[in-house]
Amino acid sequence: MPAAPVKPPAAADRVYMHVKQAVLDRRYEGGTLLTEGELALAVGVSRTPVREALLKLEMEGLLKLYPKKGALVLAVSAQEIADVVETRLLVEEFAVRRAVPAPASLVERLEELLEEQKRRAEAGDLAEVAVTDRCFHAEIVRHAGNQILSRLYDQLRDRQLRMGVAVMQSQPDRVAKNITEHAEILDRIKAGDVEGAAHCVRQHLTWVKVLVRGEDR
């Protein structure tokens, strides 16, 4: 029996995915004003699904709508950076303590993600580097075995990706530093060193809010 044809995404979903990915990749940077007409033309849809998609993105905190003008891409604020880093520290330090001693499946997956991050970095694909970076941390959180905590962490995904690209654009040498620090976290996990792994995670995350502002260690 032939497989049923795959139904293409609805028009509003196509606009939503187009705009969201561009915001996360920082192709639409903070302060950019998006108009319904431009987006409708870019995606090949009418203005009605554009409005629907923009409303959804405003609810997610990525845009601010201005009637008859368009949608303003919101910049990453210092307060948002501080809030995300603080939340990540609470979640990730707890998670790495719970995940060590680590099962072989976690170690293997972290090794795969580290190699993938290196390949993406060599290719200069910052958006995908940010994705693999985030997946590395999310994998540790998932192995802590607390589903509520994992769901909470997943809610930070979009902000993490956007900040990750911002860090690498403002501090290109941070890509190599991230990889080195991930390797250090992985080494501590493989060694079964709970306190060492927690320390590495804290050191790795503490500098995010500084680096997003364009400063160096």
Side-chain angles (χ1 to χ4, degrees):
M1 184 176 178
V6 178
K7 187 177 180 181
D13 291 337
R14 297 206 308 275
V15 178
Y16 171 82
M17 290 184 286
H18 168 81
V19 176
K20 183 169 187 174
Q21 194 59 54
V23 171
L24 296 183
D25 292 350
R26 287 171 62 89
R27 283 178 282 126
Y28 293 156
E29 294 192 20
T32 303
L33 184 66
L34 308 174
T35 68
E36 291 180 2
E38 289 170 343
L39 292 175
L41 187 63
V43 184
V45 299
S46 68
R47 293 194 180 201
T48 300
V50 171
R51 293 189 197 103
E52 184 181 336
L54 294 180
L55 281 168
K56 186 175 180 181
L57 289 162
E58 183 180 45
M59 290 177 64
E60 293 181 7
L62 296 177
L63 307 174
K64 173 66 176 176
L65 298 186
Y66 291 92
K68 299 182 181 179
K69 292 184 179 180
L72 185 70
V73 179
L74 296 177
V76 180
S77 69
Q79 186 60 55
E80 182 180 5
I81 294 166
D83 290 348
V84 170
V85 171
E86 187 175 78
T87 305
R88 288 188 64 187
L89 279 168
L90 290 170
V91 173
E92 293 188 38
E93 271 200 84
F94 172 83
V96 79
R97 291 177 189 276
R98 287 285 297 270
V100 178
S105 59
L106 173 58
V107 171
E108 182 178 349
R109 181 58 180 148
L110 293 179
E111 289 175 337
E112 290 173 356
L113 287 167
L114 188 59
E115 289 305 310
E116 177 68 14
Q117 191 176 9
K118 290 176 184 177
R119 287 193 294 271
R120 297 295 186 177
E122 289 170 3
D125 190 343
L126 297 186
E128 286 302 316
V129 170
V131 169
T132 51
D133 183 311
R134 195 262 168 195
C135 286
F136 183 94
H137 292 276
E139 198 67 30
I140 296 171
V141 173
R142 188 172 71 82
H143 274 78
N146 186 317
Q147 293 185 5
I148 295 175
L149 205 64
S150 291
R151 286 195 292 271
L152 169 64
Y153 192 77
D154 285 343
Q155 292 175 19
L156 299 175
R157 177 185 178 275
D158 293 345
R159 290 182 171 89
Q160 283 179 255
L161 294 179
R162 195 175 178 204
M163 289 179 190
V165 175
V167 165
M168 290 181 284
Q169 286 179 339
S170 64
Q171 295 282 335
D173 65 335
R174 187 62 204 169
V175 177
K177 288 180 181 178
N178 268 359
I179 291 171
T180 297
E181 289 170 13
H182 281 184
E184 290 170 353
I185 293 169
L186 179 55
D187 284 345
R188 293 299 90 215
I189 289 174
K190 290 164 72 172
D193 181 357
V194 176
E195 293 305 320
H199 174 75
C200 286
V201 166
R202 171 166 283 278
Q203 289 293 103
H204 179 59
L205 295 179
T206 298
W207 293 103
V208 174
K209 57 186 175 184
V210 177
L211 290 164
V212 170
R213 292 170 183 159
E215 302 169 22
D216 199 355
R217 285 191 177 189

